[in-house]
Amino acid sequence: MKLIVSEGNPHGIKVLAAAGLWAGGADIQRLQQEEKVVPFLAQPKLPALQLDNGNFLFIPNAICSYFFLSSGKEQSDLSNQWMEWEAAELQPASIAALYAHVVQGKKREEALQSIQKSLHHLDQSLAKTKSTYLLNGSLSVADVVVWASVYPLYTDLSSLPEDLTHFKNWFTNISQLEECQKAAESIVRGQGASAFKLYLQKSPAPL
Amino acid sequence: MGGVGSSGVLVGSAWCLCALPTKMAVGELGALERCLGLKEGKYSSKAQGGGQVPVLQINKGPSLAGLATIASYLAKEAKREELLGASIEEKAIVQQWLEYRITRIDRLSSKEDIRSILKDLNSYMEDKVYLAGNTITLADILIYYGLHPLMADLSIQEKETYINVSRWFSHIQHYSGIRQHLPSLIFIKTRIYSNLH
C-alpha cells in the first residue's frame, strides 16, 4: 500500500502519525497538493491511501482507522463518537481558526476564538475520564485524530492555554510521542503555522 | 439565508437538508431501527458544529452522539456486524462513506456542490454494486437516506447523466426493508438521452 501526502497540508499530520504508530511498513510518497491521485474524484484530494488491490481511501480519518485496525486493534463506540465529533465539529472550527490567523492575518488570540468551545469540551471530557487518553486505558486512533486536528494551531507548545489543564497535559503528552513528533515535523518543517499558508490559500474559504 | 431560493428547486431542497438535520437524522435512525428489527430508542439532540446532532440514551450506559456513531451501534445491537464491513479494508471504507455523508452530503449548499458530489459518486460507482464492494453495508443505507431528497429532485435527464448512481440507488430502494416511509423514485432503464454519451 502507498500513502500519498502533500506539502504543507495539515491533514497529512494525522495519517503520518497513525502510519508511524500502527503501520510501520507503509510506503510514503510526497507530492505537490494540486496533483490528482484518486481516479474517481474530480478535484485533487490528498492525503490518500492506495491499497494493494487498487482501491483508494481518501478521507483522512478512515485512513487512520485502517492503520489502527490493521495492527489488530478494535474501535469502540466511544472511539467512533470522538472521530465523528472531530470530523463534524472540531475540524471545521480548527481549519477556520487557522485560516483566519494564517491567511487573513488576524491575531492569534482572536483567530482561536472559534475553537474555544471545542477545547473546553475536550478539557472537561479528559477531566471526567481521569485518564491520560480520550478512551480509558491506552492510546487509540481517536487521540491521534483529535490531536492532529488541533496541532496546526499549537505547533508551539508553549502557547497552549494554561487554564485548560487536562487538555494541555493530554496535548503535550501526545505531541511528545516520537511518531507524532516526526509526523508533525515532516509537514511543518520548522515553519510553524505559516507552513500551511499555501495550502489554505488554495482551499475554499471556510464558512 | 438570503438568496437561497433564487437558484431554483434543487438548491431549495438542499437547503432543507441543512435546515432540518436533527429531524431528518432521528427519523432516519428510526427507519434504520425498523430495518434492523430493533425497538425504537429514546432520542434527543444537541447543538454541534452549527447544526443539531442526534443523541441516543442507552439503558445500561452513557449516551451516544452522532448519526454515524449511533447507526454503527445499532448495527452491532441487531447482531448485524457484517453491515460495518467484513474485512479491515471494508470497515475503513464503510467509515469513509459514513463521514462523507456527514461532512459532504449533509452540508451541500449550492447546485454546484450537488453536481460535484453526484459526479464523483457516479465515477466511483462505475464498477461497483455496493459502496464497499460486493455486499451491502451501513454506508449504502445512510448514503441512500442522505441522497434521497436530492435524487427526488433530479430530472429524468439528470438521472441518466448520473447513470451509475441511479442504478445503485434504484437497487438499494428495492432492497428489503430499507426504503421504509420514503417514496419510491422512478428510474427509466433504457437510455433516452443517449446522444449525451
Side-chain angles (χ1 to χ4, degrees):
Chain A
M1 64 187 165
K2 191 162 71 180
L3 176 62
I4 306 139
V5 294
S6 57
E7 302 295 335
N9 178 335
H11 305 295
I13 298 174
K14 62 171 74 161
V15 296
L16 287 171
L21 284 161
W22 297 298
D27 174 16
I28 294 162
Q29 190 182 359
R30 287 167 194 276
L31 296 177
Q32 298 299 313
Q33 64 159 311
E34 300 81 15
E35 293 196 54
K36 193 171 146 2
V37 171
V38 186
F40 52 85
L41 298 180
Q43 295 299 315
K45 180 118 173 49
L46 290 174
L49 180 69
Q50 185 173 18
L51 299 163
D52 292 335
N53 61 9
N55 278 347
F56 280 91
L57 291 175
F58 62 93
I59 295 226
N61 287 3
I63 297 175
C64 293
S65 286
Y66 181 83
F67 292 143
F68 187 68
L69 295 169
S70 299
S71 73
K73 297 179 193 300
E74 283 183 35
Q75 260 176 256
S76 62
D77 292 322
L78 208 53
S79 179
N80 288 339
Q81 180 172 272
W82 275 115
M83 291 176 77
E84 186 170 351
W85 175 77
E86 190 275 338
E89 174 155 337
L90 181 63
Q91 201 183 113
S94 171
I95 292 289
L98 196 61
Y99 191 91
H101 180 49
V102 177
V103 180
Q104 297 175 324
K106 286 197 184 149
K107 283 208 177 102
R108 241 187 92 79
E109 299 68 43
E110 197 190 329
L112 287 176
Q113 281 302 321
S114 65
I115 201 171
Q116 290 312 311
K117 212 181 108 211
S118 302
L119 297 188
H120 274 100
H121 173 64
L122 263 172
D123 190 64
Q124 282 165 9
S125 304
L126 286 160
K128 257 185 247 163
T129 57
K130 298 188 177 73
S131 161
T132 324
Y133 304 108
L134 288 175
L135 311 177
N136 266 325
S138 55
L139 178 76
S140 74
V141 63
D143 290 293
V144 170
V145 159
V146 174
W147 164 80
S149 191
V150 183
Y151 186 84
L153 299 168
Y154 293 103
T155 51
D156 177 8
L157 293 183
S158 65
S159 60
L160 284 164
E162 289 296 333
D163 53 327
L164 305 177
T165 330
H166 301 279
F167 164 71
K168 192 179 172 215
N169 291 341
W170 166 82
F171 188 86
T172 309
N173 186 23
I174 311 283
S175 300
Q176 283 164 351
L177 294 172
E178 196 194 331
E179 292 84 356
C180 292
Q181 233 173 38
K182 269 171 107 175
E185 192 38 50
S186 76
I187 297 282
V188 177
R189 295 176 187 271
Q191 298 172 60
S194 65
F196 308 110
K197 191 165 183 175
L198 205 61
Y199 168 82
L200 293 165
Q201 279 173 334
K202 291 183 180 174
S203 310
L207 296 172
Chain B
M1 287 294 159
V4 165
S6 63
S7 321
V9 181
L10 202 55
V11 177
S13 74
W15 173 78
C16 290
L17 254 185
C18 306
L20 300 167
T22 318
K23 199 178 160 201
M24 270 218 33
V26 172
E28 202 175 322
L29 287 165
L32 183 63
E33 282 168 335
R34 288 190 293 280
C35 167
L36 294 168
L38 292 170
K39 273 193 223 151
E40 208 171 306
K42 281 203 183 88
Y43 292 98
S44 54
S45 69
K46 66 169 186 180
Q48 180 174 296
Q52 293 279 318
V53 295
V55 177
L56 172 65
Q57 190 56 53
I58 299 167
N59 289 337
K60 299 160 262 178
S63 57
L64 281 179
L67 180 65
T69 302
I70 296 171
S72 303
Y73 165 82
L74 294 176
K76 281 184 264 183
E77 275 295 287
K79 308 252 181 290
R80 295 285 305 278
E81 282 182 298
E82 77 277 6
L83 287 174
L84 301 174
S87 63
I88 288 165
E89 179 179 331
E90 271 183 34
K91 286 187 170 88
I93 295 177
V94 169
Q95 201 182 317
Q96 160 160 291
W97 290 107
L98 294 184
E99 188 174 320
Y100 188 87
R101 157 72 208 263
I102 288 154
T103 57
R104 295 295 315 275
I105 298 176
D106 289 356
R107 289 191 194 161
L108 291 167
S109 55
S110 68
K111 207 164 180 170
E112 273 77 347
D113 265 2
I114 294 173
R115 276 202 212 99
S116 139
I117 67 143
L118 287 175
K119 192 163 174 271
D120 285 352
L121 272 170
N122 196 56
S123 171
Y124 178 75
M125 293 307 295
E126 196 174 316
D127 58 353
K128 289 177 181 69
V129 179
Y130 299 102
L131 284 164
N134 296 323
T135 53
I136 193 161
T137 63
L138 202 54
D140 295 291
I141 303 175
L142 291 201
I143 298 269
Y144 162 76
Y145 288 156
L147 285 184
H148 195 283
L150 268 58
M151 297 299 286
D153 273 347
L154 293 188
S155 66
I156 296 289
Q157 186 171 350
E158 284 170 312
K159 283 179 191 159
E160 193 171 305
T161 304
Y162 308 113
I163 189 86
N164 302 315
V165 178
S166 295
R167 173 181 44 78
W168 164 83
F169 191 94
S170 168
H171 184 60
I172 302 298
Q173 78 172 356
H174 289 110
Y175 205 96
S176 170
I178 293 178
R179 189 171 60 82
Q180 300 284 335
H181 61 290
L182 293 169
S184 182
L185 304 186
I186 293 162
F187 294 91
I188 296 171
K189 286 199 172 154
T190 39
R191 289 171 184 264
I192 51 174
Y193 298 96
S194 53
N195 58 328
L196 288 175
H197 298 272

